[in-house]
Amino acid sequence: MPRHEFQPGRLVVGVVATAAGVVYAGDAEGAWETPWFAVLPLMVGGLCLAAVAGMVGRGIRRRARRGERAGAAR
């Protein structure tokens, strides 16, 4: 049994934040030129995607728990 519930929204936010860090690190290293505002759409899109992933994950967990309760009542 897992030690905690899987939370896909947090996973998405972590991946997007890491990607934003890589973009800025590449700019700092001189590998490419990144405008200061380039990460804003990346982060906003990632947060929106994380919200959707979190809601879907919560719905799945809720439905699974509801099924467990119905099965235990029989």
Side-chain angles (χ1 to χ4, degrees):
M1 176 159 248
R3 298 182 92 159
H4 56 82
E5 292 180 341
F6 176 66
Q7 297 180 347
R10 289 188 179 189
L11 175 67
V12 171
V13 168
V15 169
V16 169
T18 301
V22 168
V23 167
Y24 276 137
D27 183 35
E29 183 67 28
W32 54 78
E33 185 67 29
T34 305
W36 65 269
F37 57 85
V39 175
L40 290 176
L42 177 67
M43 289 301 296
V44 169
L47 289 173
C48 290
L49 184 62
V52 170
M55 287 188 291
V56 169
R58 183 168 186 245
I60 290 171
R61 282 193 307 269
R62 224 171 159 193
R63 183 172 290 189
R65 286 185 185 145
R66 190 179 306 149
E68 288 174 3
R69 289 182 191 156
R74 291 181 185 182

